[in-house]
Amino acid sequence: MKLWERLFVRASVAEAETAGRFRRLRLRAPALRGAAWVAGQQVRVDVAAKGAMTPLLRTYSVWDRAHDWVDLQALLHGDGPGAQWMGAAAVGDEVLISKPKGDFVTRPAAYHLFVGEETASVAFGPMLRALPREQRTASRAVVEIAGPADRLALDGDVTWVERRGDAVSPSPSLVAAVEALDLPGEPGQAYVAGEARTIQAVRQHLVRERGWPRRSVLTKPFWTPGKRGME
């Protein structure tokens, strides 16, 4: 067994469904039973073609997790190897995945702010669900989407921003929506994810114009145009 195979577990696709532009896969693996998971964490998936000599890894946020399975949600866009694998995966297929890991998880705070676009909403969903009820009610989320079909079921107070042809890198629509928020005077904890340049713009607004401490703005860049090797 190769070294990299020891870091992964073999899973099988138990469920596969498409809704709007999102694809959900349930991956089942006996080795996942008892594995720790904190909402917001991710798994690495080997999306290489069958028979490939080396792994081709892509990272996906875990939408849900229980017993011996994980649910992955992914936006179907582009024609990269990850998108091809996600779109073609069928019940019964086998794949190597890592156990959940990562530090993009909620931190203690008086209130929570979530900012991102479609790719970030997959991480935001379980993070919001995991908050205590009173904090979930007080939380705010701003999510930019191409249209209504891209709305995932998110708890809490969600502002959906349709970009209507605006740029996505950086996104003026998303930054403007955050600038327009009526937030409490005291900083909370922000989680900003998705396109890298937009993340930088949102963080600058919160730190420079709102006076939030940098440690109160947790960021997670998933992608940016023309750059590979990101999440």
Side-chain angles (χ1 to χ4, degrees):
M1 179 181 291
K2 299 182 179 66
L3 176 61
W4 66 268
E5 290 179 316
R6 299 174 187 172
L7 305 177
F8 288 72
V9 300
R10 188 167 298 279
S12 60
V13 179
E15 298 178 15
E17 64 178 9
T18 303
R21 290 201 300 153
F22 280 96
R23 176 83 164 164
R24 181 185 69 85
L25 300 180
R26 176 161 293 183
L27 304 181
R28 193 179 300 276
L32 289 177
R33 188 176 295 276
W37 172 61
V38 180
Q41 289 186 323
Q42 304 167 308
V43 295
R44 299 276 276 172
V45 180
D46 178 16
V47 301
K50 188 175 181 179
M53 299 299 293
T54 57
L56 181 59
L57 302 180
R58 292 296 182 267
T59 304
Y60 296 93
S61 296
V62 176
W63 177 252
D64 204 358
R65 162 86 175 90
H67 308 300
D68 63 348
W69 54 263
V70 294
D71 274 358
L72 308 182
Q73 292 262 21
L75 187 72
L76 295 177
H77 67 109
D79 58 357
Q84 292 181 24
W85 170 79
M86 195 77 184
V91 173
D93 288 354
E94 291 192 341
V95 64
L96 291 174
I97 67 173
S98 70
K99 294 181 179 180
K101 57 185 178 180
D103 56 5
F104 190 71
V105 299
T106 56
R107 300 176 177 181
Y111 69 96
H112 304 265
L113 172 65
F114 299 82
V115 182
E117 28 71 24
E118 300 97 327
T119 62
S121 63
V122 180
F124 294 164
M127 294 169 77
L128 283 160
R129 293 196 303 269
L131 289 174
R133 181 181 297 274
E134 63 277 5
Q135 291 193 19
R136 190 164 63 245
T137 301
S139 70
R140 298 290 302 275
V142 183
V143 181
E144 183 184 57
I145 55 177
D150 294 342
R151 293 190 181 192
L152 283 178
L154 301 182
D155 292 348
D157 184 354
V158 183
T159 298
W160 299 99
V161 180
E162 292 191 26
R163 62 178 60 93
R164 301 184 185 280
D166 286 345
V168 295
S169 177
S171 167
S173 302
L174 188 58
V175 175
V178 176
E179 292 173 344
L181 288 177
D182 182 13
L183 298 174
E186 292 297 319
Q189 178 66 50
Y191 312 90
V192 189
E195 197 280 315
R197 295 171 188 170
T198 306
I199 286 175
Q200 294 175 358
V202 172
R203 185 178 188 182
Q204 288 178 356
H205 166 70
L206 292 173
V207 172
R208 296 179 181 179
E209 299 178 33
R210 299 271 188 171
W212 284 39
R214 290 185 176 275
R215 65 178 179 276
S216 295
V217 185
L218 186 62
T219 61
K220 187 69 171 178
F222 291 153
W223 67 281
T224 200
K227 186 173 182 180
R228 298 182 178 183
M230 302 182 72
E231 299 293 354

